[in-house]
Structure formats: structure tokens, C-alpha cells
Amino acid sequence: MTENQTTAMWGETNPVLPGFYPDPSVCRVDGDDGTWFYLVNSTFEYLPGLPVHRSRDLLSWELIGHVIDRPGQINLSTVRDSGGLFAPTIRHDGTRFLVVCTLVGGAEGASGNFVVTAENAAGPWSDPIWWDMDGIDPSIMIEPDGSMWAHGTRLAPLPEWAQQTEVWVRRLDNETLVPDTEETIVWSGALRGAIWSEGPHLLRRNGFVYLLAAEGGTSFHHAIVVARAESPLGPFVGNPANPVLTHRNLGRATPVTNVGHADLVEAQDGSWWAVCLATRAWDSCDLLGRETFLVPVTWENDWPVFAPGEGQLPQNPKGLQGLTGQEHLPFDSPDNPAATGGEDVIAVRRHPSEIVTETGVSGTFRLQAGNDLTDSRPAFVARRLASLSTRVQIRLVDASYGVRAGLALRYSSTAFVAVTVGGGTLSIDTVSGDASVVSTHAPRLTLPQGTGKGVLAFEVHGTSAVAIWEPDDGGSVRSDVLDISHLCAEKNGGFVGVTYGALAVGDSGSADFADLQGGL
């Protein structure tokens, strides 16, 4: 087995949410129907935003809704690629759920940090309450008496070194959910010179308040650090073992890198766990983006120990076994809703409902034609690519005259691959780095009359893919092997992962699709 094959298959239960599910935050709620864990992730320029999953055992996660769940709730029309919704935190105060998040690049007066609430994690969620302050990565700590502390990070106004950040703490009003104006700066990193000490979370345990944060940037040097104090206002003392978890010491050849941005939760049996992000790369290309991993945590001398006995992400954490009565499905199983994207269908800078309608035929949907993938709001609805060795496909049922329809792999408006049919031709087009230049990997092939319906697919194997057209009336077409190594942060910057989905390009009309599937 090659190194890249090992990377693709890495673990059966880790990552617990494969594909583009970065910046995880988790909370536990004990109710009449037992204990549930709830998890949210960043979505950047995609809507609906901030998916909410729940789990009994921290391994098998079920999508139940989205925090940004309707048009008009948040405006992403002005955000750049990999801008938008950053680093949410989810908490429960005994009555309601609270999610705080950062909107980067939003319209004036509706950008920055905000909080929303819901009685049910599945929604509906409230309109945002905006916090009048700079910075990113807000979080909330709820004290045993119900009082709350808001905290987050921002660039230091008078830095000692480039990209130095500072973690601030303020009291949070329980009624208005607006932080006090008085604040305390409590942290700037475990190491002098550490960049981007971010993703802070405060929690109380055994007489101490712990500050969990990440530092080193979101790439190879990402790391998780911990400090503690007697008060949320500090002074905080760093763990002598910092960083408590990182893979930067393993070198760039390790199958999983970029470990960081964690959140801690105590289970009902007294065990402790962390969720964090990391990436699985293929030839230094992280097509899938940052994924959600699970890590066991123990406590020694009132300090948390991440992945005890291993010191790195476990391939197959056991989770809370025996609580669900269901066996956890491997992430690459087509029966695993998380692996195939489940019902987590997303669109770029608008909700899928704004461009998708029902056709009246079971199992099909109609996509309104519009702009191509170089546009800020393309006519594109998608799911997350969840495996480095997979087939993704869609069935084209019908299309209006003049509409070019098909399947695309998207990283950004300047990095994508699309296979489309229309006007009696088949086209395989790639954009890499410059949206004004489209590279056609094969001449547009003239198709025999009547071959406008069929299955379009990509067979993905690491940084290579083959585009496929299987018309209903026979005569399938396969492209040469395509280089898709540009669909990642390593080559194009950004924070997302590859999505795959339906594309319909045209000045008017629509295309009907069925069976958008991955993990095949």
C-alpha cells in the first residue's frame, strides 16, 4: 500500500465528519430523551450556513439543521472566496442554544461577531444580534450560576511581533446577549512569537478556569494549547506541556497534518473528549479541506492530556460505545450519511432554495440556469467531497435549449473543474488561479443527436480525476487523466474544501437533475 493510499484510507472512525467540516465546536445537553452532543462547523461563503449535527456517542453524527437556515438572516453577497462564516461556537444555557460566530466581509452594519439563539438545535434560529467590537472567533462560557462570559481573539493593536493576537474576555448580559464594554486581555499565545492565537474557549473544571486555544496559523504549524487561571479574567498560566496536541513535530510526510482549533466536552460517564480540525493530504494537496476529528482526553494534575499514550490523533477512537446500539459506519461507506454529504446541500453565497425547485417527479430537482463558476453567485448546488478516492456523479434528466449543464468540482471562483453538455457538445473545462482564463482539457466533442441525457461523473484518485459522460443511449466518453491538484489551500489559499455538484449555465431556462451522489 502506498503512502497516498494510506492517507486516503487513514481511519475507520476518524475523521468523524469527513470532508469540509472545519472549526468544530461541541456542547452536551442532558434531556428527557437522554444525552445528546451537538456540533457546529464553519461554512465560509456557502449557505445554508453552520450545519448542526447531533450524536449519542461522539462518533456517528446526524445532520439536523443549520444555524443560518433561511434567506435574509445573513447576507453573504459581498464576501470573498473563503470569506463569510468563520469559527462558530455552540453552547446551551439550560433553556436555549446559543451560537456565536464571525462574519468576515459582510455588508456594513451586518458584519463581524454575532450571536443567535434557538430553543431547538434543529432551528429555527433567531436573527443575529451584532457585537460592536473587532476580532474573530467569539465564544461563550456559561458559569454554574448561569452567568456568562464572552471572549474572542483579535490582532494586537501594538504587537511585539507580526501577526500577534490577543484574547479578550468580557461579561455577557444574559438578557440582551450583548457583551459589556469593559474587557480584560488575558492571552497572546503559549510561545513568544506565536502567530494567530485563536479559537479560544473558556471552561470551568475542578476549581480552575481553562483557556483552550490554537496557535501557529491554520496550516502545518497549527497547534492546540491550554492555560488555566482561578478566574475567567486571569491571570492565566500556560501548561508546561504546551502545545498539548500538534502534528507539526511529525514532519510533512505524516498522513494527517494541520491539527488545531479544538473544543472540549465532558461526557455523561465522566470521560472527556475534544473535537478538532485536521487535514488529510495527497501529495501536499488537501482537497477535502479541514475535517472534524475526535480525540480522547484525560486529566493529570489538573491539566488535560490529549490522546494519552499516543500524543497524536488516534485513527480509530472508540467514542462512547454501547450507547446508541448502532455500529459506526466507516466514513467511506456509501451508507454513511456523513460520507456522502447526506442532505447537507449547499450553494455559493445564497441558499439552494433560491435557485432550486421541485420538478414534480420524485427524486429530481430543477436548477435555475445562471452564471458559471467564475461568478460570485454561480448556478451551482453541491455537497462536500468526503474521500480522496471516490466517484461522484449526477444524472442529467433534461435541460432547456441554450443551457449547458453538468457536474463540477469547486474549490473557489478561480479553482474548479467542470464537465458539461449542451448544444450537442461535451466540454471539460478547468480554471486554475485566474478566472479569466479557462483551460479546456479536451476539445468540445460533438455528440450524436439525442445524447443530452445521462450520467456525468468524476472518478477522483487523490490529485487526479477522470471526467465521464454516460449518455442514456450508450457510447460513454472518458477524459484523459486530469490534474486537480489546484483545488486546495496549498495552491490557491483559502479555508474551504472541494465541493461537487450540479451546474447549469445559461441566460435563461433550467436543468433537471437527479441522484447527486458521492462515495461510490
Side-chain angles (χ1 to χ4, degrees):
M1 182 176 292
T2 69
E3 177 183 308
N4 281 338
Q5 287 173 325
T6 302
T7 300
M9 298 176 61
W10 193 67
E12 290 185 353
T13 57
N14 239 352
V16 293
L17 278 183
F20 160 45
Y21 286 105
D23 305 332
S25 175
V26 65
C27 72
R28 168 187 147 201
V29 178
D30 301 322
D32 294 338
D33 61 344
T35 294
W36 286 103
F37 299 92
Y38 295 89
L39 184 111
V40 294
N41 298 91
S42 298
T43 44
F44 301 97
E45 74 263 36
Y46 286 98
L47 290 170
L50 313 183
V52 181
H53 288 81
R54 70 175 183 177
S55 175
R56 294 287 196 190
D57 62 359
L58 294 166
L59 290 175
S60 302
W61 292 91
E62 171 195 8
L63 179 70
I64 60 171
H66 294 81
V67 176
I68 308 304
D69 56 7
R70 61 189 179 275
Q73 188 183 12
I74 287 282
N75 181 3
L76 297 188
S77 63
T78 61
V79 307
R80 67 181 189 274
D81 289 343
S82 284
L85 296 166
F86 279 60
T89 297
I90 187 168
R91 296 291 182 256
H92 191 263
D93 67 1
T95 302
R96 60 186 171 175
F97 289 90
L98 303 98
V99 167
V100 285
C101 187
T102 305
L103 173 56
V104 175
E108 185 176 353
S111 193
N113 298 311
F114 66 90
V115 58
V116 291
T117 64
E119 293 183 5
N120 190 315
W125 289 80
S126 70
D127 287 334
I129 297 170
W130 296 96
W131 291 358
D132 185 17
M133 62 181 65
D134 295 330
I136 59 172
D137 298 7
S139 186
I140 294 174
M141 183 179 78
I142 302 173
E143 295 276 32
D145 65 1
S147 62
M148 295 190 289
W149 297 89
H151 44 290
T153 192
R154 63 174 171 238
L155 287 168
L158 299 172
E160 296 181 55
W161 57 83
Q163 300 181 75
Q164 179 189 2
T165 53
E166 58 187 23
V167 175
W168 55 265
V169 178
R170 301 185 185 192
R171 287 194 176 274
L172 183 65
D173 187 284
N174 287 51
E175 298 299 324
T176 66
L177 296 181
V178 174
D180 287 353
T181 56
E182 183 178 350
E183 73 174 15
T184 302
I185 305 302
V186 298
W187 190 250
S188 61
L191 298 176
R192 288 191 59 80
I195 65 171
W196 288 107
S197 184
E198 58 189 354
H201 296 300
L202 293 175
L203 65 100
R204 186 178 290 277
R205 178 190 179 273
N206 202 23
F208 288 105
V209 173
Y210 292 87
L211 171 63
L212 182 68
E215 63 184 45
T218 60
S219 188
F220 178 73
H221 293 102
H222 214 21
I224 300 168
V225 300
V226 174
R228 73 185 184 194
E230 294 182 357
S231 162
L233 301 179
F236 281 89
V237 176
N239 189 338
N242 278 329
V244 293
L245 186 65
T246 185
H247 278 201
R248 64 193 183 195
N249 56 304
L250 302 180
R252 295 182 184 272
T254 190
V256 177
T257 58
N258 306 351
V259 178
H261 203 110
D263 199 4
L264 279 165
V265 67
E266 182 182 13
Q268 62 271 38
D269 64 356
S271 62
W272 282 80
W273 303 84
V275 290
C276 67
L277 66 78
T279 60
R280 293 177 290 157
W282 187 297
D283 294 335
S284 300
C285 177
D286 50 349
L287 264 72
L288 306 182
R290 297 170 299 161
E291 307 173 280
T292 294
F293 288 74
L294 180 67
V295 188
V297 176
T298 58
W299 294 82
E300 296 181 5
N301 298 320
D302 285 323
W303 287 112
V305 178
F306 285 63
E310 292 185 78
Q312 57 185 290
L313 290 179
Q315 291 191 29
N316 295 298
K318 296 184 182 302
L320 301 176
Q321 293 296 301
L323 294 183
T324 65
Q326 298 176 349
E327 182 180 355
H328 178 72
L329 294 168
F331 70 82
D332 56 355
S333 166
D335 296 322
N336 185 348
T340 60
E343 295 303 316
D344 202 357
V345 177
I346 49 181
V348 182
R349 298 181 181 86
R350 56 184 167 183
H351 287 261
S353 61
E354 297 179 67
I355 51 175
V356 172
T357 58
E358 299 294 331
T359 65
V361 178
S362 177
T364 67
F365 64 91
R366 178 161 296 156
L367 176 60
Q368 178 184 333
N371 295 325
D372 65 21
L373 288 167
T374 64
D375 190 76
S376 63
R377 301 177 79 192
F380 176 68
V381 291
R383 289 179 174 158
R384 294 159 173 82
L385 191 68
S387 174
L388 288 164
S389 186
T390 187
R391 173 179 164 124
V392 298
Q393 67 180 43
I394 197 167
R395 172 171 290 280
L396 177 59
V397 178
D398 199 6
S400 302
Y401 178 81
V403 172
R404 177 161 290 277
L407 179 70
L409 303 175
R410 179 190 187 271
Y411 182 77
S412 70
S413 62
T414 60
F416 60 81
V417 181
V419 53
T420 57
V421 295
T425 62
L426 170 71
S427 181
I428 302 166
D429 300 318
T430 294
V431 163
S432 176
D434 184 352
S436 66
V437 179
V438 177
S439 172
T440 301
H441 278 267
R444 288 198 173 182
L445 302 176
T446 301
L447 302 174
Q449 187 175 3
T451 55
K453 301 178 182 181
V455 172
L456 300 117
F458 284 103
E459 289 180 354
V460 177
H461 188 64
T463 54
S464 300
V466 173
I468 301 167
W469 167 235
E470 298 171 344
D472 287 348
D473 47 7
S476 66
V477 177
R478 295 175 64 91
S479 75
D480 294 334
V481 175
L482 309 174
D483 180 5
I484 59 171
S485 62
H486 61 294
L487 304 182
C488 68
E490 183 73 19
K491 297 291 181 66
N492 274 282
F495 304 112
V496 299
V498 171
T499 58
Y500 66 94
L503 177 67
V505 180
D507 294 332
S508 61
S510 61
D512 293 352
F513 295 95
D515 302 327
L516 177 60
Q517 300 179 69
L520 302 176

